[in-house]
Each structure stands twice: as structure tokens, then as C-alpha cells.
């Protein structure tokens, strides 16, 4: 009997041992696929209604534009992206896979986008996943209802996700969107970014794998973790492409990377396919080093205006529009980093690190002089630690940091806002390479969501924060403790060079970032039709604008441009003109529709079960009532004319403000710039249409309590972890939704006093334009 029992124990231990070995060696799990598209289109009447509602809105403004406005989202991720897969895991309150097929059905039925693109991180893409993605996007476009009036148009693309640890080697993130879907219109593979993202995902950095013990710690959900192990294994099994071989000549089964924007542009030119490169998140300080700037990208090598002529001004990671004249890091004459002192409206995080340590030190009974020394050490160590600076303060909490590092007067800014990565800063820059005309970024402006749940266009209602934003956290305190160190507050800073945090998200302020995730924005295009070509041509003309999530209608035109044939015509947003007289502009704006609860009958082809799974019972469901436009703001920027010309004085924001009367039919303003001719310099104008306040998720990320001097003395952040929340889990606060037009670029006439239109998206007969 004893021998039999011993044998049973041995066998059981052997089984357990083999199972654990299999977990360690990633024997279990399966590769997840692209999902299954429903195969149904939206009710055609719903698509027709979109056009008719715009025509009625324009008529109420005494306008009959020749073009229609389409809304889309050119920045969407599925769980083919690593961060999206991680967020979908049970330990992070994830609900499971979000495949590419989900994005198609969501765009068609839930948010009812006119167009969208898939942009999974190239660094995580494999030949199998790219083939799946191409097939899925083609299938999405095969089910569009009426061929000339598609319910949605899906574009193929990817994200080039470059991250540098210093401003010198940081280039940022860029989406690549391809025009066509035929084999000769697409690349064989997406092109990733060399550096941190590639090295971590493809095994060049130790410790970036999901710990093997994770499936056993959450045993009932083990299959999802096993699938993630297979996901990682597949990525690391793809060999690197030869870097000397032209891109089109490479085999299909390797991973290709580009170290810089210049390399990316060169490789895309080698392919010769129609593509557009859209930078985004350039102020997002979660990963962008302090001191990051557009300057080094405005050079002949790293700037290709034929491919990179649009910029994403806002996403679910915040607003990147506004420049502010503050710095998060400074340098002494010897080039050593120095923590700048606080200024009105900005508290550097390095300075706050010193304050926290000094407060703790004094509370521990130390001498003031000793505590001042510890504070100085904290400021220095914070800067030396780069993006991990917050971790030099042991036992820190989100509340300890107050509103440090944040743009305190920006509209829904990105976390740790980097002002020299802003759209305004880019538009104000001049590139002064020897022997040439000044280079300019002449970006058209759009917005998108950057949603990682395969949900394009999530901003239609402030609902379901955990799925319409990335604001989720660990499931419970046990999982939280695996990511965030549970430490006692220390009265002295620590040197992270002696106690490294390890790779991955542990390096950054993931917990604090959760309060800054939003539903994101939308791209809007003025088009001649609803099909792929019409949308692409509008992008090429830069006759586009962005919104913070609402479907605000916006027209912005230069009215008195003289054409080469002597006729007077309008230049639409995104256009260029040369003028010898004061430019006259017109802005027309109409607020977005109020939303009814639930989903309309037009969504019924999706089926009740899938509709509930994807849309959670809430779709884009417009009523006949529109929200009011509160005001129109005009921003005027005069780009640098000489190296080193201070940028702050070149950006006038706002330059002009026009109050609207609250008419639900919209707002019309007309103005001119009487200073243009006298100033004699190139000038950039764009319009903001500001809507009445409505509830928006994470619109007030820190929820500060202020003292009589306007200083933030206490914060009530919106946590990603549900177990930490108390009260409003929606975290919705009033916010003035808005639309940003693309700029109109006006140069002074050099050849004569007459104005000459250089580029326009509007004919003279169009009047107010698209």
C-alpha cells in the first residue's frame, strides 16, 4: 500500500513538474487570429441620412457647399499590438481579444465611422499577422452596402513606434496609411522602428517576457496568458531583414526596421506606393524625454513633405496642439542637466521630487540644511533617471506629485506635456540649412483615437471608460503589487543607476498616466464623394480638420485670393496663397448632434449579441438637436525668419476671439488681418470652433483643489484600478469639445502687389468652400 501511494505521489509530482516545465517553455496556448467580420452592412438609409443632415445644416447657414464632410479615425490598434494584448489580459481587467474584425464591425455599427485605418505596431507584427490584417481589411471593404456610397471605408496601415531615451535619439511615433489594397499598392511587410520598442519585443533586452509564473497565479484564466506567451514567441521567431537590401527586394518572412524618419521615408519611396506618414503623440511625456523637440526633424533628411504633410493634433493620449514657454529640464554652461525652478502655471516634476523628499525629511526631524541637500539630490537624480525619474522617490503615490509636469492651462493636455513637440511649435519653426530657403512644416491638422481595443471613433458618448479609453489598471491589489512597488516612504532619494527598475512599463509612470487617458479625437475630411479615392484626395489637399471627439461641422476659407487668371476665389483649409493685400477669412461652424441613448434600428444587421459585446448597448445615435457653438478662436503663427528667433512671440493664441450667439444652427464669422501687408512675413492661420461644455471622460485628469493663489494643493485623480476608485467611475467632467481646422498658409506677394493663389482645394464657384 505504501509503495502504491509513493508511486502515485511520484507520478503526480512528475505530471506537475512536466506541466510547470511546459509553462516555462511556452508549450501551451495558441496564436490568436484576426476574428470574423459580421458580413453585414449598415442600413443604407442611415448612410444617406448623414449626407442629408449636413446639407440641411449648411442651408441653415445660407451655404450650399459642393463637398461633404466625412468623419473617421486614422489611428486604431487591435490585440495584434503588444500593449493592446497586455491590456486585454485578465490581470488588467481585460475582456479578452480585440481582433481586427472587431474594429471593422465597431466602426460600421457602433461609432458609424465614414472611414478608419488599422495601425498596429509594426514592431510586433509578423508575416502571419500582416497577412491576416490585409485579408481582414479587404473583407471589411467587401461589405460596404452600395458601392458608390459605402457605409465605411477601411484603410491599411501600421504604426512606426520609435522611442529614444534622450532627446537626441528620440523621433517619436508615426502612423503610415496606405491608399490602396491591391497587391501592387501595398508593402510586403510593415516597417518598424529600430531601438527600444524593437529590442524589447524581439528579445534583445532581457526581462521583457511575461513572467512564466503568471498563468499559474491566475489559473482559471491561464489560456489567455498562454496565448500571450505564444504571441511573444512568434515575434521573436521572425529573423531580422538584411539592412543593406532595398525594401522591395527583401523576403516576406523577415522583420524590417528603420532607425530614423529619413530611413522610413527612403524605404517607402523604394516601394513607390501611395502612402501618408502622420506623426502623433509628440507632446506625450509618458515616453518622450524631457527636452524633446521638433527642431532636429526639420531637415532635408528627416522631413519629407511629399509623405509627411499631416499631423495628429489629439488622440486618446491627449491634446498636442499648444505650445507653452516652459521647460522640464535645463542645462548649465557645461551642458549638465539642471532642474528649472517653478514658474507661474508650471511645476517641474524634478522640482516636485525635491519638495516631496524635503517634506519627508523635515517630518522625520532632520535639520533644515540636511533636508535641503536631500532635496537637491532628488532633483539631480530625477533628471539623471530620465523617464523613470518619479521612481527616485521611494513609496511615492499619484497624489504626492500634485499637478507637477503638467500643462496647467492647456485644453486636455497629454501627460507630462512636452511643449516643443506641439503642433504650434512645429508650425512656428524654420529650418535654416546652409544655402537654401527656410524649411517649414506645413502640416494639415487632424485627430484620431489611438484606441487599443479595436474600437475606432470612441468619442461619441462618455460611456464605458474601461473600453473606450486605455484607463484600465490591475484587477486587484495582488496584481497591483506585482507592477507597482509597495514601499515605505523614504526621506532620502534613491539612485536608480544603483537599483534599476528593469525594462518595460515599470520604467514609466503608468499609474499616474491612467488619469490622462481619454476617448480621443476624430479626423474630418471635405470630400467630393464617400469612396476611397475621394477621401485620399482630401487628405492630399490637406482639406481636413480634427475634432476632440464630437462631429462638429467646420469650414475655414480665405475668401479674397486672386488666381493667375485674375479671378477671385476661395482657398480652403490646408491651402496656400501669396497675397499683396489684407487676407479676408470666413469660418462657419455647426455643433455636433445631441445623442439619444442606446442604438438605432440601423444597427440591427449586426445582431443583438454582437452589438452588445462590441457597443455595450451604446452606439452613435444622433437626435435632431445640435449642441451650440460657444465661440470661434483664430490662432495666428508667423514662422521663424532667422535661426534662434524666439518661438513664443511668434504664436498668438488666440489672436482673435468671436463670441457666438448660441444659435443651434451654428455660427459664422468673417475677419481680415490688416497687419499682414505691413508685417511682410509668412503667416499661418487656423480656426478653433469651441462647443458648449458637455461631460467628457478624464477631461480634468488631476481634479485639483486650489489655494487662494491658484496653486494646486491636493489632487483627486481618476485611477485605472477599480479597487481604488470611490464614487464616479465614469470620471466624466465638463469640457468644451472643439474642432481645429487645418491652417491656411499665406505668404506676402513678392512679384507684384497682386495676390497669387499657390494651392487651393476650392474653386471660385464654391464660395465658402467644401
Amino acid at each position: 500500500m505504501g509503495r502504491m501511494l509513493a508511486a502515485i505521489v511520484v507520478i503526480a509530482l512528475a505530471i506537475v513538474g512536466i506541466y510547470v516545465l511546459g509553462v516555462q517553455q511556452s508549450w501551451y496556448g495558441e496564436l490568436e487570429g484576426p476574428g470574423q467580420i459580421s458580413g453585414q452592412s449598415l442600413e443604407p438609409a442611415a448612410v444617406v441620412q448623414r449626407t442629408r443632415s449636413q446639407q440641411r445644416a449648411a442651408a441653415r447657414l445660407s451655404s450650399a457647399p459642393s463637398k461633404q464632410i466625412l468623419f473617421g479615425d486614422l489611428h486604431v490598434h487591435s490585440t495584434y499590438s503588444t500593449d493592446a494584448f497586455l491590456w486585454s489580459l485578465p490581470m488588467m481587467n481585460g475582456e479578452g481579444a480585440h481582433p481586427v474584425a472587431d474594429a471593422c464591425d465597431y466602426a460600421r455599427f457602433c461609432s458609424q465611422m465614414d472611414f478608419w485605418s488599422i495601425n498596429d505596431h509594426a514592431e510586433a507584427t509578423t508575416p502571419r499577422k500582416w497577412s491576416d490584417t490585409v485579408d481582414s481589411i479587404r473583407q471589411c471593404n467587401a461589405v460596404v452596402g452600395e458601392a458608390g456610397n459605402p457605409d465605411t471605408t477601411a484603410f491599411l496601415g501600421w504604426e512606426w513606434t520609435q522611442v529614444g531615451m534622450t532627446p537626441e535619439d528620440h523621433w517619436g511615433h508615426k502612423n503610415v496609411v496606405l491608399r490602396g489594397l491591391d497587391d501592387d499598392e501595398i508593402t510586403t511587410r510593415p516597417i518598424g522602428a529600430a531601438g527600444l520598442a524593437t529590442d524589447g519585443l524581439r528579445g534583445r533586452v532581457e526581462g521583457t517576457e511575461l513572467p512564466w509564473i503568471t498563468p499559474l497565479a491566475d489559473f482559471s484564466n491561464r489560456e489567455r496568458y498562454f496565448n500571450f506567451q505564444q504571441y511573444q514567441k512568434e515575434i521573436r521567431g521572425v529573423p531580422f531583414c538584411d539592412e543593406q537590401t532595398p525594401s522591395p527586394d527583401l523576403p516576406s518572412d523577415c522583420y524590417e526596421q528603420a532607425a530614423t524618419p529619413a530611413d522610413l521615408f527612403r524605404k517607402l519611396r523604394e516601394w513607390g506606393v501611395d502612402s501618408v506618414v502622420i506623426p502623433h503623440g509628440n507632446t506625450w511625456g509618458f515616453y518622450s524625454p524631457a527636452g524633446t523637440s521638433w527642431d532636429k526633424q526639420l531637415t532635408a533628411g528627416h522631413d519629407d513633405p511629399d509623405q509627411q504633410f499631416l499631423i495628429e493634433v489629439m488622440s486618446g493620449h491627449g491634446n498636442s496642439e499648444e505650445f507653452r514657454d516652459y521647460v522640464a529640464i535645463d542645462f548649465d554652461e557645461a551642458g549638465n542637466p539642471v532642474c528649472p525652478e517653478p514658474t507661474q502655471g508650471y511645476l517641474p516634476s524634478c522640482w516636485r521630487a525635491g519638495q516631496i523628499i524635503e517634506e519627508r525629511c523635515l517630518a522625520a526631524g532632520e535639520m533644515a540644511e540636511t533636508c535641503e541637500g536631500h532635496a537637491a539630490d532628488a532633483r539631480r537624480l530625477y533628471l539623471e533617471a530620465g523617464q523613470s525619474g518619479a521612481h527616485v522617490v521611494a513609496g511615492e503615490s499619484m497624489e504626492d506629485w500634485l499637478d507637477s509636469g503638467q500643462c496647467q492651462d492647456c485644453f486636455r493636455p497629454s501627460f507630462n506635456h512636452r511643449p516643443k513637440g506641439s503642433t504650434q511649435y512645429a508650425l512656428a519653426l524654420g529650418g535654416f540649412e546652409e544655402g537654401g530657403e527656410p524649411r517649414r512644416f506645413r502640416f494639415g491638422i487632424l485627430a484620431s483615437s489611438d484606441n487599443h481595443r479595436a474600437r475606432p471613433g470612441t468619442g461619441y458618448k462618455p460611456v464605458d471608460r474601461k473600453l473606450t479609453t486605455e484607463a484600465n489598471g490591475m484587477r486587484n491589489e495582488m496584481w497591483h503589487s506585482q507592477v507597482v512597488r509597495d514601499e515605505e516612504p523614504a526621506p532620502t532619494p534613491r539612485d536608480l543607476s544603483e537599483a534599476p527598475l528593469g525594462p518595460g512599463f515599470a520604467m514609466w509612470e503608468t499609474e499616474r498616466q491612467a488619469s490622462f487617458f481619454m476617448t480621443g479625437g476624430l479626423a474630418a475630411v471635405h470630400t467630393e464623394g464617400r469612396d476611397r479615392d475621394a477621401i485620399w484626395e482630401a487628405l492630399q489637399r490637406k482639406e481636413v480638420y480634427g475634432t476632440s471627439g464630437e462631429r462638429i461641422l467646420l469650414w475655414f476659407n480665405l475668401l479674397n485670393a486672386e488666381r493667375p487668371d485674375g479671378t477671385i476665389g476661395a482657398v480652403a483649409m490646408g491651402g496656400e496663397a501669396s497675397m499683396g493685400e489684407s487676407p479676408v477669412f470666413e469660418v462657419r461652424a455647426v455643433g455636433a448632434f445631441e445623442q439619444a441613448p442606446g442604438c438605432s434600428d440601423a444597427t440591427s444587421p449586426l445582431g443583438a449579441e454582437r452589438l452588445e459585446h462590441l457597443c455595450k448597448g451604446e452606439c452613435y445615435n444622433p437626435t435632431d438637436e445640435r449642441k451650440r457653438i460657444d465661440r470661434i478662436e483664430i490662432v495666428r503663427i508667423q514662422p521663424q525668419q532667422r535661426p534662434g528667433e524666439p518661438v513664443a512671440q511668434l504664436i498668438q493664441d488666440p489672436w482673435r476671439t468671436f463670441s457666438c450667439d448660441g444659435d443651434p444652427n451654428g455660427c459664422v464669422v468673417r475677419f481680415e488681418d490688416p497687419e499682414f501687408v505691413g508685417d511682410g512675413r509668412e503667416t499661418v492661420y487656423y480656426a478653433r470652433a469651441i462647443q458648449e461644455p458637455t461631460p467628457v471622460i478624464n477631461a480634468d485628469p488631476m481634479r485639483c483643489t486650489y489655494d487662494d493663489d491658484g496653486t494646486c494643493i491636493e489632487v483627486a485623480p481618476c485611477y485605472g484600478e477599480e479597487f481604488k476608485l470611490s464614487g464616479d467611475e465614469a470620471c466624466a467632467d465638463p469640457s468644451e469639445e472643439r474642432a481645429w481646422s487645418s491652417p491656411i498658409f499665406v505668404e506676402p506677394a513678392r512679384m507684384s502687389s497682386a495676390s497669387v493663389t499657390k494651392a487651393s482645394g476650392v474653386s471660385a464657384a464654391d464660395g465658402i468652400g467644401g
Side-chain angles (χ1 to χ4, degrees):
M1 184 68 179
R3 290 181 179 179
M4 182 177 295
L5 181 60
I8 292 173
V9 171
V10 169
I11 292 171
L13 290 174
I15 292 172
V16 171
I18 291 171
Y19 185 80
V20 171
L21 178 63
V23 173
Q24 292 175 320
Q25 299 298 317
S26 301
W27 290 350
Y28 311 117
E30 62 184 14
L31 295 172
E32 296 180 352
Q36 183 64 46
I37 291 170
S38 70
Q40 301 294 321
S41 62
L42 194 68
E43 290 288 347
V47 181
V48 173
Q49 176 61 22
R50 295 181 202 171
T51 303
R52 289 179 177 172
S53 69
Q54 283 187 27
Q55 292 171 338
R56 289 193 296 269
R60 294 188 185 106
L61 289 179
S62 302
S63 166
S66 63
K67 302 188 183 102
Q68 59 184 305
I69 297 173
L70 305 183
F71 292 96
D73 187 349
L74 294 177
H75 192 173
V76 182
H77 294 268
S78 74
T79 40
Y80 275 179
S81 289
T82 305
D83 46 0
F85 202 134
L86 280 169
W87 284 326
S88 78
L89 292 174
M91 67 181 184
M92 296 194 72
N93 285 301
E95 66 168 5
H98 303 295
V100 181
D102 281 9
C104 176
D105 285 346
Y106 189 93
R108 176 168 279 134
F109 293 101
C110 304
S111 58
Q112 297 179 33
M113 290 284 92
D114 297 309
F115 62 95
W116 66 280
S117 67
I118 191 69
N119 304 95
D120 281 314
H121 297 291
E123 297 73 25
T125 301
T126 65
R128 177 191 68 88
K129 286 191 284 187
W130 180 244
S131 177
D132 284 350
T133 300
V134 172
D135 289 345
S136 191
I137 293 298
R138 286 172 174 168
Q139 291 169 23
C140 186
N141 286 288
V143 187
V144 295
E146 298 177 8
N149 200 36
D151 58 357
T152 193
T153 297
F155 288 88
L156 179 67
W158 69 84
E159 178 174 327
W160 184 78
T161 314
Q162 198 277 339
V163 180
M165 299 306 293
T166 68
E168 291 73 28
D169 62 12
H170 179 80
W171 300 97
H173 297 185
K174 301 176 190 289
N175 284 331
V176 179
V177 180
L178 305 178
R179 177 176 186 165
L181 289 176
D182 291 339
D183 287 345
D184 61 352
E185 296 176 305
I186 65 177
T187 58
T188 300
R189 74 198 65 75
I191 302 165
L196 186 63
T198 288
D199 293 345
L201 287 172
R202 297 187 179 266
R204 289 181 169 181
V205 178
E206 293 295 329
T208 54
E209 306 90 349
L210 188 72
W212 70 267
I213 195 68
T214 306
L216 302 182
D218 194 5
F219 195 72
S220 63
N221 295 306
R222 61 192 179 280
E223 291 302 326
R224 278 292 289 154
Y225 301 106
F226 289 154
N227 289 355
F228 187 68
Q229 289 178 333
Q230 292 301 322
Y231 172 95
Q232 291 183 303
K233 187 177 180 179
E234 180 189 27
I235 292 172
R236 296 179 181 196
V238 179
F240 283 81
C241 296
D242 177 59
E243 296 186 5
Q244 306 305 315
T245 302
S247 189
D249 298 335
L250 291 166
S252 61
D253 60 350
C254 63
Y255 168 70
E256 185 175 8
Q257 59 182 342
T260 68
D263 295 330
L264 176 63
F265 297 143
R266 172 179 54 79
K267 288 175 178 290
L268 289 171
R269 286 193 297 270
E270 290 173 354
W271 278 102
V273 298
D274 285 341
S275 62
V276 60
V277 178
I278 307 173
H280 66 270
N282 297 85
T283 63
W284 191 27
F286 178 68
Y287 70 90
S288 298
T292 294
S293 168
W294 271 108
D295 291 73
K296 69 177 182 294
Q297 299 201 46
L298 191 53
T299 62
H302 299 300
D303 171 42
D304 186 343
D306 291 331
Q307 298 185 75
Q308 183 178 261
F309 50 84
L310 301 173
I311 191 169
E312 183 183 285
V313 72
M314 184 170 183
S315 75
H317 299 154
N319 171 25
S320 296
E321 176 200 9
E322 295 162 284
F323 174 75
R324 294 291 183 270
D325 197 17
Y326 64 71
V327 293
I329 185 173
D330 212 340
F331 298 90
D332 62 21
E333 293 180 356
N336 300 311
V338 176
C339 183
E341 295 188 12
T343 58
Q344 183 66 36
Y346 183 67
L347 172 61
S349 290
C350 56
W351 196 269
R352 180 58 188 156
Q355 290 178 333
I356 296 169
I357 290 297
E358 187 169 15
E359 291 165 3
R360 291 178 179 178
C361 179
L362 292 172
E366 298 288 345
M367 299 290 292
E369 183 177 356
T370 299
C371 295
E372 289 172 5
H374 291 330
D377 288 340
R379 293 192 289 269
R380 173 181 57 81
L381 291 169
Y382 184 103
L383 295 178
E384 290 177 359
Q387 296 305 95
S388 303
H391 300 291
V392 305
V393 181
E396 49 85 27
S397 69
M398 293 172 64
E399 292 83 358
D400 287 332
W401 295 99
L402 299 176
D403 60 352
S404 65
Q406 312 312 318
C407 183
Q408 297 172 12
D409 64 346
C410 290
F411 170 74
R412 282 154 57 183
S414 53
F415 177 65
N416 283 349
H417 184 85
R418 308 299 192 206
K420 288 188 176 181
S422 66
T423 300
Q424 290 181 346
Y425 186 79
L427 292 172
L429 275 183
F432 301 95
E433 295 177 282
E434 187 174 351
E437 289 290 319
R439 297 185 70 88
R440 308 285 192 214
F441 285 124
R442 289 190 169 179
F443 287 134
I445 291 175
L446 48 73
S448 288
S449 73
D450 199 359
N451 181 269
H452 283 61
R453 310 284 198 277
R455 285 170 162 83
T458 52
Y460 55 88
K461 290 176 181 175
V463 297
D464 203 6
R465 174 175 172 255
K466 297 294 184 180
L467 289 173
T468 58
T469 80
E470 273 63 73
N472 64 333
M474 307 312 291
R475 190 172 79 216
N476 53 41
E477 293 187 52
M478 185 277 288
W479 286 111
H480 178 82
S481 67
Q482 303 302 307
V483 176
V484 180
R485 296 185 181 187
D486 185 14
E487 303 172 307
E488 290 296 321
T492 58
R494 63 179 163 204
D495 186 344
L496 294 183
S497 67
E498 299 176 356
L501 296 168
F505 290 124
M507 298 168 57
W508 298 319
E509 294 182 79
T510 53
E511 190 177 22
R512 196 173 176 216
Q513 167 64 58
S515 198
F516 285 78
F517 282 128
M518 306 165 198
T519 50
L522 293 178
V525 295
H526 289 261
T527 68
E528 300 284 359
R530 291 187 56 84
D531 63 11
R532 176 180 303 274
D533 289 340
I535 295 167
W536 192 262
E537 288 161 8
L539 295 174
Q540 291 288 318
R541 292 193 306 270
K542 296 185 287 192
E543 200 171 348
V544 303
Y545 65 94
T547 86
S548 55
E550 292 269 38
R551 286 168 223 204
I552 298 168
L553 304 180
L554 178 64
W555 298 265
F556 177 48
N557 298 282
L558 169 63
L559 298 181
N560 63 330
E562 184 175 335
R563 301 178 185 282
D565 63 2
T567 61
I568 300 298
V571 174
M573 61 177 74
E576 304 175 15
S578 179
M579 301 282 293
E581 60 184 5
S582 298
V584 179
F585 300 90
E586 185 175 68
V587 183
R588 293 174 180 253
V590 182
F593 281 118
E594 297 278 3
Q595 293 293 304
C599 300
S600 71
D601 292 340
T603 62
S604 60
L606 185 60
E609 183 177 346
R610 184 147 174 82
L611 196 69
E612 177 60 30
H613 171 70
L614 284 181
C615 314
K616 306 302 181 187
E618 293 292 348
C619 304
Y620 178 71
N621 192 11
T623 67
D624 292 331
E625 298 296 319
R626 286 189 178 271
K627 299 168 186 177
R628 271 64 168 173
I629 298 296
D630 179 77
R631 63 191 182 279
I632 302 293
E633 296 178 344
I634 306 300
V635 177
R636 185 175 78 165
I637 299 173
Q638 295 177 317
Q640 289 176 319
Q641 291 185 317
R642 65 179 190 278
E645 187 175 10
V647 166
Q649 65 190 30
L650 306 177
I651 301 170
Q652 295 171 279
D653 178 17
W655 172 59
R656 301 283 300 274
T657 300
F658 302 92
S659 296
C660 299
D661 59 9
D663 187 342
N665 293 324
C667 185
V668 181
V669 300
R670 185 173 291 193
F671 65 95
E672 67 176 294
D673 183 0
E675 301 168 343
F676 173 77
V677 175
D679 287 344
R681 62 189 294 165
E682 179 181 349
T683 307
V684 179
Y685 306 85
Y686 70 89
R688 281 194 298 249
I690 314 294
Q691 196 172 259
E692 62 180 315
T694 51
V696 176
I697 293 172
N698 278 354
D700 184 9
M702 291 288 92
R703 299 181 175 187
C704 276
T705 298
Y706 298 94
D707 64 14
D708 293 339
D709 297 324
T711 301
C712 180
I713 57 174
E714 187 178 1
V715 296
C718 215
Y719 292 96
E721 292 88 349
E722 290 183 2
F723 67 90
K724 286 191 173 185
L725 285 172
S726 59
D728 179 19
E729 292 190 7
C731 298
D733 292 287
S735 181
E736 293 179 317
E737 299 272 34
R738 59 197 57 199
W740 299 267
S741 78
S742 280
I744 296 176
F745 305 88
V746 187
E747 292 182 340
R750 293 184 174 87
M751 297 174 59
S752 69
S753 60
S755 60
V756 180
T757 300
K758 295 175 63 180
S760 174
V762 184
S763 68
D766 281 337
I768 70 157

